[in-house]
């Protein structure tokens, strides 16, 4: 079945209903680590904290990351069919002032956004765990947590589908402290002045298509685990639904995986589909990435 046929034939899910106090509607928290200079958490090794900060805070790199964040990540979050979620953006307290001002301006019209600045050099997993748990509404409530890099995106129904999956998995989740929910169909994408180059991909346990459901009183988070090895630590449910995530690639990406994957420039039909599925406007992508844009 073609990409567009699968999209047209998708079936909506009924909303979840909750009854008991401990089964109140699941809280949803997304996290983006925006160039936070942590100790650990990067595939590129640096010899010192100073070297890592120079790499992350290079003006050209920060400019590229801000553009991809504006072009890919934020539109899909604004377009979520279920707006009941928080999106936490963690930065270093030493992020250059001009970059922080740009970031604050970009987040101003996303009501779900929470910006937190942390001292640089903190242990990656511990800092992110504390940041996520600072937003939890109470120890009894279950919490779905997902993570996005600043050039990733998710389907406009991602939060809605996470809630539906968590509802379907209630008997299993009741017996386990942690449960992973994985959507394994998406696209690799590279934005640029020509628009969006992309290629379909099927990949299990990739970060942008993944979430962790933490049970009551559980302080561990999605950031306490290597996403590719979650199945070592908890039960997992994988859904082969089409096009639930976009993984951005560029010269500034930390991971080299799929950097050399052949990508195709979206045509008019592809651009219309990406706008419907991910809320991403290819014309706006061209404007943002135009020289001097």
């Amino acid at each position: 079945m073609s990409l567009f046929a699968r999209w047209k034939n998708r079936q909506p899910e009924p909303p979840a209903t909750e009854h008991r106090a401990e089964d109140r509607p699941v809280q949803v928290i997304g996290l983006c680590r925006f160039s936070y200079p942590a100790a650990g958490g990067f595939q590129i090794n640096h010899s010192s904290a100073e070297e890592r900060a120079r790499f992350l805070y290079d003006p050209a790199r920060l400019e590229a990351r801000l553009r991809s964040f504006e072009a890919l990540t934020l539109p899909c979050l604004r377009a979520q069919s279920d707006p009941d979620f928080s999106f936490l953006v963690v930065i270093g307290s030493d992020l250059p002032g001009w970059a922080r001002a740009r970031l604050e301006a970009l987040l101003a019209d996303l009501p779900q956004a929470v910006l937190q600045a942390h001292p640089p050099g903190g242990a990656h997993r511990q800092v992110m765990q504390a940041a996520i748990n600072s937003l939890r509404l109470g120890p009894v409530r279950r919490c779905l947590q997902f993570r996005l890099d600043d050039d990733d995106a998710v389907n406009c129904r991602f939060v809605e589908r996470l809630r539906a999956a968590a509802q379907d998995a209630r008997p299993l989740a009741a017996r386990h402290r942690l449960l992973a929910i994985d959507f394994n169909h998406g696209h690799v994408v590279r934005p640029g002045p020509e628009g969006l180059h992309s290629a379909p991909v099927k990949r299990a346990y990739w970060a942008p298509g993944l979430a962790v459901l933490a049970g009551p009183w559980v302080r561990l988070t999605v950031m306490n685990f290597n996403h590719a090895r979650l199945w070592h630590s908890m039960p997992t449910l994988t859904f082969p639904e089409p096009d639930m995530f976009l993984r951005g690639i560029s010269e500034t990406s930390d991971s080299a995986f799929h950097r050399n994957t052949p990508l195709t420039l979206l045509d008019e039909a592809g651009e219309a589909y990406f706008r419907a599925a991910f809320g991403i406007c290819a014309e706006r992508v061209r404007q943002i990435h135009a020289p001097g844009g």
Side-chain angles (χ1 to χ4, degrees):
M1 185 179 292
S2 71
L3 183 79
F4 302 104
R6 287 182 299 171
W7 171 50
K8 291 178 181 177
N9 292 335
R10 71 191 190 280
Q11 296 297 317
E13 294 77 21
T17 56
E18 306 287 343
H19 301 289
R20 296 177 301 172
E22 66 269 25
D23 291 326
R24 288 173 295 179
V26 174
Q27 183 182 5
V28 180
I29 301 173
L31 172 77
C32 177
R33 178 192 62 179
F34 191 92
S35 296
Y36 172 70
F42 291 91
Q43 295 188 32
I44 298 175
N45 292 319
H46 300 96
S47 60
S48 66
E50 292 75 19
E51 181 185 354
R52 174 160 292 178
R54 284 194 299 271
F55 167 77
L56 292 175
Y57 293 163
D58 174 76
R61 181 189 180 279
L62 282 175
E63 178 65 37
R65 305 311 286 187
L66 286 163
R67 290 190 186 198
S68 63
F69 192 58
E70 179 180 2
L72 299 180
T73 309
L74 292 180
C76 77
L77 296 174
R78 296 189 186 101
Q80 287 300 304
S81 58
D82 182 348
D84 183 15
F85 66 96
S86 300
F87 188 66
L88 175 61
V89 180
V90 175
I91 61 173
S93 55
D94 59 344
L95 182 71
W98 68 268
R100 177 164 181 166
R102 282 269 299 279
L103 191 58
E104 290 174 344
L106 290 174
L107 294 172
D109 65 346
L110 181 68
Q112 297 89 350
V114 178
L115 183 65
Q116 286 188 5
H118 292 262
H124 171 249
R125 296 194 190 282
Q126 285 72 28
V127 171
M128 300 305 151
Q129 177 184 5
I132 289 174
N133 282 325
S134 73
L135 296 190
R136 290 196 64 168
L137 297 177
V140 174
R141 198 175 216 180
R142 296 184 184 275
C143 183
L144 274 165
Q145 303 158 9
F146 66 95
R147 56 183 290 185
L148 296 177
D149 285 344
D150 51 33
D151 57 357
D152 292 336
V154 289
N155 190 285
C156 295
R157 298 174 63 242
F158 185 72
V159 173
E160 174 192 345
R161 284 296 296 117
L162 282 181
R163 287 190 190 281
Q167 173 71 5
D168 292 342
R170 283 177 66 185
L172 181 62
R175 297 194 298 271
H176 298 275
R177 300 172 68 238
L178 296 161
L179 174 72
I181 297 171
D182 177 40
F183 297 103
N184 64 6
H185 283 210
H187 291 259
V188 175
V189 64
R190 184 180 69 242
E194 294 180 330
L196 292 162
H197 292 77
S198 76
V201 64
K202 298 177 183 179
R203 191 79 178 180
Y205 307 118
W206 259 17
L210 188 64
V212 167
L213 177 63
W217 307 101
V218 176
R219 303 299 290 173
L220 292 173
T221 73
V222 65
M223 298 302 292
N224 286 106
F225 304 91
N226 179 324
H227 59 85
R229 296 174 59 84
L230 274 173
W231 56 276
H232 286 248
S233 304
M234 65 191 74
T236 69
L237 295 175
T238 296
F239 294 87
E241 297 188 20
D243 305 329
M244 289 301 291
F245 67 84
L246 300 180
R247 180 170 181 176
I249 57 172
S250 71
E251 293 304 314
T252 61
S253 298
D254 180 51
S255 173
F257 194 85
H258 272 294
R259 248 183 230 173
N260 298 320
T261 300
L263 305 181
T264 302
L265 182 65
L266 292 182
D267 58 14
E268 185 175 344
E271 290 183 356
Y273 173 70
F274 264 49
R275 183 157 194 170
F278 299 102
I280 293 170
C281 173
E283 181 56 35
R284 182 61 184 145
V285 170
R286 286 188 279 270
Q287 293 172 1
I288 291 170
H289 288 85

